[in-house]
């Protein structure tokens, strides 16, 4: 019975492996007519962010604030998409509509929600890359290093102060490794999965940042 349970656990996909499957079929379509919006599918982005939430849930209540922020942004975009799923399944169409309405930089806009989800994905990808190279380093150090390059430039003093508090609640290496699916002490399989995910996510983030830049949303800041 124990062996059977072990085999089932072995076959069960981790969040990283699930993300790899979903992002491996992610396609960005650039129209021949430059007046039309680039097509970047929204659903895979929201699915990936939901997987980040699942990892945070495994880590525990210390990540509750970050989890809530990601979840609220996902829900905001899902709700907007449901108003016309054929059109707004393309995230660029959401940015286009809000820019035309003059609402894109409002606090509760979908454009702002997408901006922060993209930054969260960038932070996650950067953290995993650092972890892959320096698995013996303390998680707190890796998180801070990644934060300085991905989130800090867009945080005001309130958000920066909140991060300093959260930094003290970062789990130890073992807890985090288990949360993202480590199954052996050498972490060889985990490292391979991280590198694969990174290779898929990097060009996707590049495309999203390009579209955010087009709509004047690349330099938003929090309080």
């Amino acid at each position: 019975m124990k062996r059977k349970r072990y085999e089932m656990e072995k076959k069960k996909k981790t969040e990283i492996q699930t993300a790899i499957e979903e992002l491996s079929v992610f396609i960005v379509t650039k129209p021949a007519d430059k007046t039309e919006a680039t097509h970047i599918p929204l659903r895979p982005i929201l699915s990936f962010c939901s997987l980040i939430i699942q990892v945070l849930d495994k880590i525990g209540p210390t990540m509750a604030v970050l989890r809530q922020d990601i979840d609220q942004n996902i829900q905001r975009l899902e709700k907007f998409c449901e108003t016309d799923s054929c059109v707004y399944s393309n995230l660029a169409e959401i940015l286009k509509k809000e820019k035309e309405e003059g609402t894109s930089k409002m606090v509760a806009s979908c454009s702002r929600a997408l901006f922060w989800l993209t930054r969260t994905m960038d932070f996650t990808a950067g953290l995993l890359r650092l972890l892959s190279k320096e698995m013996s380093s303390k998680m707190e150090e890796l998180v801070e290093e990644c934060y300085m390059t991905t989130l800090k430039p867009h945080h005001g003093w309130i958000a920066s102060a909140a991060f300093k508090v959260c930094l003290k609640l970062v789990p130890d290496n073992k807890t985090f490794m288990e949360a993202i699916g480590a199954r052996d002490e050498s972490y060889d399989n985990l490292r391979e999965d991280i590198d694969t995910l990174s290779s898929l996510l990097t060009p996707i983030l590049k495309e999203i940042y390009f579209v955010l830049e087009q709509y004047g949303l690349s330099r938003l800041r929090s309080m």
Side-chain angles (χ1 to χ4, degrees):
M1 186 70 179
K2 287 183 179 179
R3 180 174 180 79
K4 186 176 181 181
R5 188 180 302 151
Y6 171 75
E7 290 299 327
M8 288 176 67
E9 286 296 319
K10 241 181 127 179
K11 291 178 182 178
K12 186 179 178 183
K13 289 185 178 69
T14 66
E15 282 79 10
I16 290 179
Q17 289 167 344
T18 300
I20 289 171
E21 279 192 0
E22 294 187 359
L23 296 181
S24 63
V25 294
F26 189 98
I27 298 175
V28 174
T29 306
K30 295 187 177 181
D33 185 349
K34 292 185 179 180
T35 62
E36 296 180 8
T38 298
H39 188 277
I40 303 178
L42 177 64
R43 289 296 178 187
I45 300 299
L46 299 184
S47 293
F48 179 75
C49 292
S50 294
L51 290 172
I52 295 175
I53 287 179
Q54 289 179 32
V55 172
L56 294 178
D57 285 341
K58 288 182 180 179
I59 290 172
T62 57
M63 298 289 109
V65 175
L66 177 58
R67 184 206 186 285
Q68 182 181 21
D69 186 54
I70 296 171
D71 191 44
Q72 286 176 345
N73 287 329
I74 291 173
Q75 289 184 41
R76 188 175 300 157
L77 284 160
E78 284 180 335
K79 187 175 180 180
F80 192 98
C81 183
E82 286 169 2
T83 62
D84 190 338
S85 58
C86 290
V87 176
Y88 300 126
S89 59
N90 176 12
L91 65 84
E93 290 292 349
I94 296 175
L95 301 180
K96 181 181 177 182
K97 179 175 175 57
E98 289 195 334
K99 184 175 178 62
E100 289 172 348
E101 293 177 343
T103 59
S104 60
K105 294 184 181 180
M106 293 178 67
V107 174
S109 72
C110 287
S111 298
R112 189 174 283 271
L114 180 61
F115 173 85
W116 285 113
L117 286 182
T118 305
R119 282 290 164 192
T120 299
M121 290 191 293
D122 200 0
F123 171 79
T124 302
L127 179 60
L128 290 175
R129 282 195 297 270
L130 285 174
L131 188 63
S132 177
K133 294 176 182 177
E134 307 171 44
M135 288 193 170
S136 60
S137 299
K138 289 183 178 180
M139 279 306 303
E140 185 177 334
E141 294 172 357
L142 297 179
V143 169
E144 184 171 22
E145 181 180 344
C146 190
Y147 171 78
M148 296 301 289
T149 58
T150 59
L151 294 174
K152 179 69 166 65
H154 304 277
H155 276 178
W157 71 271
I158 294 177
S160 294
F163 169 77
K164 289 179 181 178
V165 174
C166 291
L167 191 60
K168 297 176 181 179
L169 304 175
V170 170
D172 57 42
N173 288 47
K174 185 175 183 296
T175 301
F176 186 78
M177 295 295 196
E178 289 176 352
I180 61 175
R183 291 172 177 166
D184 59 82
E185 292 184 1
S186 67
Y187 302 131
D188 289 340
N189 292 332
L190 178 60
R191 184 179 283 109
E192 184 178 336
D193 286 344
I194 288 173
D195 293 343
T196 300
L197 178 61
S198 179
S199 68
L200 291 169
L201 195 54
T202 299
I204 292 172
L205 288 170
K206 185 177 179 181
E207 291 292 346
I208 298 175
Y209 278 131
F210 179 75
V211 173
L212 287 170
E213 178 78 37
Q214 283 185 313
Y215 288 96
L217 298 166
S218 60
R219 298 186 180 182
L220 293 179
R221 288 178 64 86
S222 64
M223 295 179 66

